[in-house]
Amino acid sequence: MTPRTSPFTRPASLAGRHFSTVIVGAGINGAGVFRDLSLQGVDCLIVDKDDVAAGASSAPSRMIHGGLRYLESGSFSLVAEATRERNLLLRNAAHLVQPLETVVPLSSRFGGLWGSMLRFAGLSASPGARGLCVVGLGLRLYDKLGRNQRVMPEHRIERVPAADSALFGAAVRWTATYYDAWIRHPEWLVLELIDDAHRGHPASVASNYCSVTACQGRAITLRDALTGESVQVTADTVVNATGAWLDRAAGALEGDGSRVMGTKGSHLILDHPALRSALQGRMAYFEASDGRVCIVYPFLDRVLVGSTDIPVDDPDLAATEPAEIDYLLDVLREVFPRLDFGRKDVVYTYVGVRPLAQSDADKPGQISRDHAVVIDPPNARREVPMVCLVGGKWTTFRSLAQLAADAVLQQLGRARRQSTEQVAIGGGAGMPADAAGRQRFLDSIQAATALDRGRVAELFMRYGSRAGAVAADFAAAGDKPLRHAADHSTAEIRYLCRETAVQHLADLVIRRTLLAIRGHVTPALLAELADIAAAELGWSLARRQDELRACTATLRDRHCVQLPPAEAPRAEPADSVLATGSISNSLTT
């Protein structure tokens, strides 16, 4: 296999370079713009003050959806766009995005009808539980708007089956069932977008833990958060794709800083086998007694519950508060009265700050989730135009990126070469078309690598069509299972450390793998991962200990994961990191 260069580099190697576009913010929207422009042959640099996808892009409800509830406010164009993009992702990222059957419990026939009519007319009204008529009408329209690119099954409404009556309680008389989608590992898709951009145009590169501190003339000053070193690059255009940090970043870029507001959405991950089994693979989409919409669905071997919608001033300080945990658990008790819920069931929490356009709406839920591209023209201090991405939602990142890329191309005086609409993402390219094709694909990997069938299936789930290439590399390195997480191997963790710009242990534990969100992290596993990362990335024993302490604190303070204090310093790395293995130099070769 021919080694390829990584898309990631450190700021020191960028000093004095010129780029047609510098993109600030390596979340889903920034990465989408990075890929789109790179596929047009535009030299791009994308930077982020933190890790790739460390902000709201790593903290969605993991739903890929059209936004059923937005119909009530008359946002037909947004729902049509979102359902189209949902269907495109089901095809272009089929390794990570899959259909999700969704059930809506209904207790009344005409509930919420008058309130819905008032809200549709733009008037304020108390929510009220929506009943059969309102939901049925909304789903008929939702089906119609979603019939493009890929046909999803039509919704159905039925008398509540006996099993669902036991699940939801006697008050529920009907259930409405429709289909949306969910994404297993959103952070990985962001990494794949960045890798695809570099593959398509090697002059485009990325740097995490790299902040923009100034923009004077055409010169942009970058600061390496790891070393404190500052360097300058020059650019013809700048893209501000920092989400909830948009106004703050605009200040450093000498632009307008009054465009966005943030609301935080907190989510819980539960270890609750009874609820997971009762859901039968479906998402339950329902209203709490206060009118707020909540969701709960099986997420791998756990259950995901979300979410709150609370205004915040500083996205860096957003965290899941105890009151939010209690609120979501109370909602679960309300909707599933025959099941027991408590703090003991919560294995992980996470919170993201939604970047919404400035609004004077009475409630956060009434603020539009639509997006816009705004251009700040050059001024006396900044000689280059700045393209700002305002608002948006995870599902519609590609269409927002296309709008932003078109704005950049116009500023550069260049034409679009291709649309990204039909371009598969990462391991979604060349995915088997059906179950039989998948089995043949897995058979070929197993025959070529002699890996266990279960391990091959795991790698296929994570890497899609690129599973064969990574499996061959892992097998060549021995693919020894981790002692404390047998579904990962030492070779795979080394690969993630080296090829995906891991800078801190938390990057590996929280974003490159799903170990943390699944509630699988233990002190022993954390120490084992720290050993491997230290050996692969050249950390000293002191650095290893610092990373252990910092990761433990992050898990505790931001994700409510309680672990004992980090272990005392070790005299030498564990045996698992002494062996070496050769893995090709590519994110997903």
Side-chain angles (χ1 to χ4, degrees):
M1 191 180 313
T2 303
R4 298 179 61 254
T5 60
S6 168
F8 293 98
T9 187
R10 297 310 306 155
S13 68
L14 300 172
R17 289 186 59 179
H18 178 80
F19 294 92
S20 296
T21 299
V22 171
I23 301 165
V24 186
I28 184 62
N29 289 327
V33 177
F34 182 65
R35 181 185 73 144
D36 194 319
L37 286 174
S38 296
L39 294 182
Q40 316 311 320
V42 177
D43 299 350
C44 297
L45 168 65
I46 186 170
V47 301
D48 198 290
K49 70 182 184 65
D50 208 309
D51 188 25
V52 171
S57 296
S58 68
S61 296
R62 280 172 157 73
M63 289 175 60
I64 301 297
H65 67 111
L68 175 63
R69 68 188 178 97
Y70 306 145
L71 290 174
E72 198 170 59
S73 60
S75 301
F76 298 140
S77 61
L78 173 61
V79 175
E81 177 184 33
T83 53
R84 181 185 71 247
E85 295 300 320
R86 175 201 66 190
N87 295 345
L88 289 172
L89 279 167
L90 281 163
R91 186 190 63 207
N92 292 335
H95 58 315
L96 296 176
V97 179
Q98 297 174 340
L100 177 62
E101 184 178 0
T102 303
V103 60
V104 184
L106 302 168
S107 301
S108 70
R109 187 180 296 274
F110 299 108
L113 185 58
W114 179 242
S116 294
M117 292 170 63
L118 290 176
R119 285 189 293 276
F120 186 80
L123 302 176
S124 178
S126 59
R130 294 160 182 83
L132 181 67
C133 291
V134 172
V135 172
L137 179 61
L139 286 174
R140 282 194 289 274
L141 183 55
Y142 199 62
D143 283 347
K144 184 175 181 179
L145 291 172
R147 288 201 168 279
N148 49 63
Q149 300 294 331
R150 173 190 175 120
V151 176
M152 299 287 276
E154 291 187 351
H155 81 278
R156 64 181 186 274
I157 295 177
E158 56 192 340
R159 287 281 182 180
V160 60
D164 283 345
S165 179
L167 174 63
F168 294 117
V172 175
R173 300 167 59 190
W174 304 274
T175 56
T177 301
Y178 70 99
Y179 288 82
D180 263 322
W182 70 290
I183 181 167
R184 178 185 302 107
H185 195 170
E187 302 93 337
W188 190 256
L189 188 137
V190 174
L191 285 164
E192 287 190 320
L193 289 170
I194 291 173
D195 189 59
D196 283 353
H198 183 69
R199 286 171 177 266
H201 191 58
S204 290
V205 294
S207 188
N208 59 352
Y209 294 98
C210 173
S211 59
V212 172
T213 60
C215 180
Q216 295 292 322
R218 292 183 172 272
I220 298 171
T221 303
L222 309 175
R223 182 180 181 275
D224 189 327
L226 305 179
T227 67
E229 179 183 4
S230 291
V231 300
Q232 283 192 336
V233 298
T234 56
D236 297 320
T237 55
V238 176
V239 174
N240 187 347
T242 54
W245 291 264
L246 185 84
D247 293 341
R248 194 175 301 180
L253 293 166
E254 304 293 346
D256 184 2
S258 58
R259 291 197 169 106
V260 299
M261 59 182 294
T263 70
K264 71 171 180 173
S266 287
H267 302 76
L268 311 182
I269 302 295
L270 305 184
D271 180 8
H272 202 299
L275 176 60
R276 187 179 184 281
S277 175
L279 288 169
Q280 302 177 60
R282 302 168 300 171
M283 180 175 79
Y285 179 82
F286 51 87
E287 288 177 281
S289 58
D290 62 2
R292 284 192 276 186
V293 173
C294 296
I295 61 168
V296 54
Y297 67 93
F299 176 71
L300 302 175
D301 53 347
R302 304 300 190 201
V303 177
L304 188 153
V305 183
S307 68
T308 56
D309 200 1
I310 302 171
V312 294
D313 294 324
D314 188 345
D316 284 323
L317 300 180
T320 301
E321 302 295 336
E324 293 178 272
I325 298 176
D326 292 339
Y327 168 77
L328 289 171
L329 291 176
D330 284 344
V331 169
L332 290 176
R333 296 185 188 104
E334 177 186 321
V335 177
F336 308 109
R338 297 177 183 176
L339 295 176
D340 177 62
F341 300 96
R343 288 284 189 98
K344 67 183 186 307
D345 302 315
V346 180
V347 298
Y348 192 81
T349 71
Y350 66 91
V351 59
V353 178
R354 305 175 182 93
L356 306 179
Q358 283 283 358
S359 170
D360 57 2
D362 294 334
K363 297 180 180 179
Q366 297 173 348
I367 303 173
S368 173
R369 266 51 174 177
D370 212 341
H371 54 240
V373 172
V374 180
I375 299 177
D376 267 2
N379 55 42
R381 297 174 299 278
R382 171 176 40 82
E383 296 179 10
V384 298
M386 178 168 63
V387 176
C388 301
L389 280 63
V390 181
K393 58 198 294 287
W394 220 102
T395 303
T396 56
F397 80 86
R398 190 210 64 83
S399 56
L400 174 56
Q402 180 173 287
L403 282 176
D406 284 342
V408 172
L409 291 170
Q410 183 178 27
Q411 295 297 320
L412 296 174
R414 300 175 63 166
R416 172 173 288 277
R417 294 180 180 178
Q418 62 172 313
S419 168
T420 56
E421 190 169 300
Q422 307 298 326
V423 180
I425 300 169
M431 280 283 287
D434 51 30
R438 170 179 171 164
Q439 292 306 312
R440 289 192 297 271
F441 185 70
L442 297 181
D443 288 343
S444 67
I445 296 175
Q446 189 173 16
T449 63
L451 292 178
D452 176 82
R453 181 67 167 208
R455 175 63 170 156
V456 171
E458 287 168 358
L459 294 178
F460 178 75
M461 183 176 67
R462 291 174 195 159
Y463 303 104
S465 63
R466 294 177 179 173
V470 296
D473 283 350
F474 297 165
D479 205 48
K480 180 182 177 182
L482 297 183
R483 295 191 302 275
H484 304 290
D487 57 346
H488 289 73
S489 71
T490 301
E492 185 174 10
I493 298 302
R494 287 196 189 111
Y495 162 78
L496 293 173
C497 287
R498 182 171 62 252
E499 307 301 341
T500 67
V502 166
Q503 308 296 346
H504 293 294
L505 184 59
D507 302 338
L508 177 64
V509 175
I510 297 173
R511 287 175 288 278
R512 302 301 187 273
T513 70
L514 296 173
L515 291 167
I517 196 172
R518 294 173 69 186
H520 291 177
V521 174
T522 63
L525 174 59
L526 209 58
E528 185 177 12
L529 294 171
D531 283 341
I532 299 171
E536 190 62 43
L537 301 175
W539 294 346
S540 66
L541 287 175
R543 169 73 185 276
R544 174 189 176 278
Q545 290 307 115
D546 288 343
E547 291 292 337
L548 267 175
R549 282 189 287 268
C551 187
T552 299
T554 297
L555 289 169
R556 179 190 66 234
D557 298 340
R558 300 192 67 84
H559 303 288
C560 297
V561 178
Q562 299 298 324
L563 296 174
E567 62 182 37
R570 307 172 57 146
E572 60 182 357
D575 292 342
S576 63
V577 300
L578 297 179
T580 58
S582 175
I583 300 178
S584 63
N585 185 28
S586 167
L587 170 59
T588 42
T589 309

